[in-house]
Amino acid sequence: MSRINKNYIVRAKNLTKRFGDFTAVNQINFEVEPGEIFGFLGANGAGKTTAMRMLTGLLKATDGDAHVAGHSINGSPEKVKYSIGYMSQKFSLYDDLKVYENIRLYGGIYGLTGKQIRSKIEDILEELNMTALRNKLVRDLPLGWKQKLAFSVALVHDPAVVFLDEPTSGVDPITRRSFWELIYRAARRGVTVFVTTHYLDEAEYCDRVSIMVNGVIEALDTPQKLKEKYHARSMHEVFVHLARKEQ
Amino acid sequence: MQKTFVRIENLTKRYGEVEALRDISLDIKQGELFGIIGPDGAGKTTLMRILVTLILPDSGEAAINGREVVKDWKYLRKHIGYMPGTFSLYEDLTIEENLHFFATIFGTTKEENYDLIKEIYEHIEPFKDRKAGQLSGGMKQKLALSCALIHRPDFLVLDEPTTGIDAVSRVELWEMLGKLKDEGLTILVSTPYMDEAELCDRVAFLQDGVITEVNAPDTIKKEFDQPLYAMNSKDNYELLMGLRKMDMVRSAFLFGENIHVVTNHSYGEEELQKAVLEEAGIRANIRPIHAGIEDCFMSRMMD
């Protein structure tokens, strides 16, 4: 695990991305503290995915910078990638590999030793209650299981921060909740969780939430304070109020 | 008494060893906004694909407005609008070109049925020269819905139209479905969002290929007969873990800022508060609540 001495694990400074004359992300500034569950919300097209791709070192910023897990996304994007976990919207697992083979593959990619990989496979299968499914092809797993496995695989190298892009999209209410219990467990172990979702009940599970509108962070606070500020009963009301106003 | 528009009788479909649908029977009334909810893999998409004549059932029958899906598929395809769960328009065509393409396939024009799609299409018309592949999720859905409606179908089938869509676009999409219902369309829609299930006239729970209940959302909620409480504390995760260990607790799930707890008997708030303090060591705020559709659905899933 990378050692972070400063009191933030993600810090964006005037982070900007332009595509031609369209500004997708417009000078955003925010910090995420270690161990925090940080909800990164916004409407479709507000700039969330673009911002997330910059923060994970996958897309170059047009302007500004961000430090993630101690590294600059401009200066050392490869070090950023090595220090973080990322679960993309599209699955990052290989359908034609078995459950344990996926864990082994990612362990290998992140440079774990054979011994570390073997113990990781056992740990993950046990935590997910999937020991009996070790030799099953990922293709044959229900969506909810795949998502839990993808999450654990994103954490295989014990990153300080994990980025989750709509991890619960399309799954049933019980699976959604058991996924969030995994998130809580990771956060308790000190992993910082940076998560996007369209389920606004899930925004309530975050320590702090930012809401992006048209490339700008329009609001950032704890769910409780946001609800107080906008005189809303739920995060759903806060979100609809902010996102609709701008359209 | 509303007339039956979609009649489904003893429908069965297998994929190899998997029984996707087991002997399903269901009636959908004319002009109804009908919801199907069920976990991933329950058979929702299979049922929809049979109704829109894309796959054949192994046995059983289904008819839409008196026309059999197996025999009259050719007729039905002209009268059904279908929006599949994955975006299925041409990403390298513009908004306008996609709409024109689907209108032509159905032997009509955009102008002929414009009144039906006007309100939806107006949202995306300013971007009509943009390629479909470059649209945001909410805009893609509006375009897909426009294309599904361009031939003025009587029956609209939407497979999880709001998955991956933001809350504002979800609200807008459901406002549109309400208006289409007012136009007289019969609508079948599946969703993983339980707040959307509440907006349907009736809802069917589909689980492991079997329909376990069909009812109006209000009726489903009223039928919930287990003691249900909303609880919260300074640390809800710790409270959740503590509750799970208690004998009196049947189930405990995160629910926004609260945890919803079903107990094995009815208890007074103070009695429950004392028990949580003694057994889990946590001071919790507790109040009895009425079930929402999500509580009902989750309790059914655990049966």
Side-chain angles (χ1 to χ4, degrees):
Chain A
M1 189 186 297
S2 41
R3 262 176 60 82
I4 308 300
N5 300 317
K6 310 186 180 78
N7 59 353
Y8 57 83
I9 188 93
V10 177
R11 171 191 254 177
K13 278 202 93 172
N14 298 322
L15 189 63
T16 301
K17 182 70 191 182
R18 283 188 287 271
F19 298 105
D21 51 13
F22 173 66
T23 306
V25 175
N26 195 357
Q27 300 194 17
I28 60 171
N29 291 286
F30 66 92
E31 288 168 9
V32 181
E33 290 161 28
E36 201 173 21
I37 302 177
F38 188 84
F40 195 60
L41 310 187
N44 301 119
K48 288 186 319 273
T49 301
T50 303
M52 194 124 145
R53 288 174 57 82
M54 288 192 282
L55 293 171
T56 50
L58 295 171
L59 185 70
K60 274 207 158 115
T62 313
D63 210 352
D65 195 5
H67 279 78
V68 177
H71 305 289
S72 156
I73 58 161
N74 294 332
S76 20
E78 292 310 312
K79 282 188 181 153
V80 168
K81 287 182 201 170
Y82 198 78
S83 319
I84 61 164
Y86 178 47
M87 181 178 159
S88 79
Q89 259 178 51
K90 299 194 174 122
F91 291 114
S92 12
L93 298 175
Y94 288 86
D95 264 348
D96 52 349
L97 291 183
K98 292 172 181 168
V99 167
Y100 87 92
E101 289 172 334
N102 266 287
I103 305 172
R104 191 178 64 185
L105 173 69
Y106 280 95
I109 288 174
Y110 282 109
L112 270 57
T113 65
K115 196 177 162 201
Q116 285 172 321
I117 290 172
R118 280 191 295 279
S119 92
K120 269 290 168 193
I121 290 174
E122 298 316 314
D123 291 353
I124 290 175
L125 291 177
E126 195 175 321
E127 172 163 32
L128 299 180
N129 264 326
M130 283 175 78
T131 310
L133 302 173
R134 161 197 299 266
N135 289 312
K136 237 189 168 20
L137 289 180
V138 161
R139 181 196 300 142
D140 298 330
L141 295 179
L143 179 64
W145 289 95
K146 280 190 202 173
Q147 276 161 306
K148 286 188 214 172
L149 182 61
F151 176 70
S152 301
V153 164
L155 292 175
V156 74
H157 55 303
D158 293 321
V161 52
V162 63
F163 291 80
L164 310 172
D165 198 0
E166 295 185 28
T168 54
S169 194
V171 302
D172 67 72
I174 291 187
T175 309
R176 225 152 55 71
R177 286 169 172 82
S178 61
F179 192 94
W180 270 91
E181 289 175 26
L182 280 183
I183 292 181
Y184 271 118
R185 281 215 286 280
R188 301 267 149 158
R189 292 198 304 264
V191 180
T192 307
V193 179
F194 189 98
V195 59
T196 73
T197 182
H198 290 307
Y199 289 93
L200 292 164
D201 57 330
E202 295 181 351
E204 313 265 4
Y205 309 152
C206 300
D207 295 316
R208 286 189 308 148
V209 165
S210 75
I211 298 178
M212 225 174 145
V213 182
N214 293 340
V216 175
I217 289 182
E218 192 67 41
L220 196 169
D221 216 323
T222 62
Q224 191 55 41
K225 287 202 176 128
L226 286 174
K227 283 184 279 185
E228 281 165 18
K229 182 171 175 193
Y230 295 100
H231 308 289
R233 279 165 304 171
S234 65
M235 281 304 292
H236 185 270
E237 283 184 19
V238 172
F239 183 88
V240 170
H241 171 77
L242 285 171
R244 197 162 221 180
K245 191 180 72 182
E246 292 296 319
Q247 284 191 343
Chain B
M1 189 63 182
Q2 279 170 302
K3 155 184 170 216
T4 294
F5 192 77
V6 179
R7 183 176 47 80
I8 298 168
E9 279 177 5
N10 309 110
L11 216 52
T12 300
K13 178 75 186 176
R14 298 169 157 276
Y15 300 108
E17 284 175 15
V18 181
E19 279 188 289
L21 296 178
R22 309 180 196 198
D23 200 27
I24 282 193
S25 297
L26 179 69
D27 278 351
I28 300 173
K29 307 283 177 214
Q30 182 148 32
E32 202 169 23
L33 176 49
F34 194 95
I36 304 186
I37 51 182
D40 179 58
K44 304 187 294 284
T45 299
T46 299
L47 177 60
M48 288 186 161
R49 288 170 62 86
I50 290 174
L51 293 178
V52 301
T53 79
L54 289 178
I55 55 173
L56 296 171
D58 293 338
S59 61
E61 284 177 3
I64 293 151
N65 207 6
R67 306 267 185 162
E68 301 261 340
V69 291
V70 176
K71 219 166 56 197
D72 282 338
W73 60 272
K74 222 169 187 171
Y75 172 89
L76 282 174
R77 283 188 188 180
K78 293 196 188 92
H79 294 85
I80 294 173
Y82 173 48
M83 200 168 132
T86 44
F87 184 69
S88 305
L89 304 182
Y90 292 91
E91 304 225 340
D92 51 348
L93 294 184
T94 64
I95 287 182
E96 198 173 30
E97 286 165 345
N98 266 295
L99 195 59
H100 179 68
F101 176 81
F102 282 95
T104 311
I105 281 189
F106 284 107
T108 182
T109 59
K110 182 179 124 196
E111 289 69 31
E112 201 174 323
N113 294 316
Y114 192 67
D115 60 300
L116 189 63
I117 62 160
K118 183 171 176 282
E119 283 202 43
I120 305 160
Y121 191 66
E122 272 175 354
H123 286 269
I124 51 175
E125 201 175 13
F127 314 99
K128 64 179 197 264
D129 295 324
R130 201 181 281 183
K131 291 209 165 111
Q134 292 162 5
L135 301 175
S136 69
M139 283 164 74
K140 277 184 177 169
Q141 292 310 75
K142 282 169 195 154
L143 176 59
L145 186 56
S146 301
C147 291
L149 289 168
I150 195 65
H151 57 301
R152 195 177 284 277
D154 315 314
F155 183 41
L156 182 63
V157 178
L158 307 148
D159 195 354
E160 296 203 4
T162 54
T163 294
I165 301 302
D166 68 67
V168 174
S169 295
R170 291 207 293 126
V171 171
E172 285 172 357
L173 189 99
W174 277 86
E175 284 170 2
M176 288 167 197
L177 295 187
K179 284 177 189 157
L180 292 168
K181 176 184 145 70
D182 294 342
E183 292 275 328
L185 266 80
T186 306
I187 303 171
L188 177 65
V189 57
S190 62
T191 178
Y193 290 95
M194 297 301 125
D195 56 336
E196 295 179 358
E198 305 234 11
L199 303 173
C200 298
D201 296 322
R202 285 191 304 153
V203 169
F205 281 127
L206 188 61
Q207 197 173 352
D208 292 327
V210 178
I211 290 178
T212 57
E213 170 154 23
V214 183
N215 244 322
D218 278 347
T219 314
I220 293 174
K221 286 188 278 182
K222 276 190 206 125
E223 279 175 358
F224 189 90
D225 57 359
Q226 303 170 64
L228 179 68
Y229 303 87
M231 303 191 189
N232 64 59
S233 71
K234 260 193 219 139
D235 185 338
N236 273 357
Y237 180 72
E238 202 180 316
L239 176 60
L240 181 70
M241 292 302 119
L243 287 165
R244 292 258 170 89
K245 290 189 191 117
M246 291 174 63
D247 288 335
M248 59 210 289
V249 171
R250 280 190 63 178
S251 72
F253 287 108
L254 296 165
F255 248 89
E257 60 184 2
N258 293 309
I259 294 170
H260 284 193
V261 183
V262 175
T263 53
N264 52 8
H265 297 292
S266 205
Y267 298 98
E269 285 143 76
E270 279 174 23
E271 189 183 1
L272 210 47
Q273 206 158 28
K274 199 166 151 243
V276 174
L277 188 60
E278 278 170 10
E279 293 185 41
I282 298 168
R283 199 170 296 279
N285 300 307
I286 298 175
R287 66 191 160 86
I289 52 166
H290 294 292
I293 200 98
E294 193 153 16
D295 297 298
C296 301
F297 179 68
M298 289 167 61
S299 128
R300 221 157 265 276
M301 272 185 72
M302 289 187 303
D303 287 344

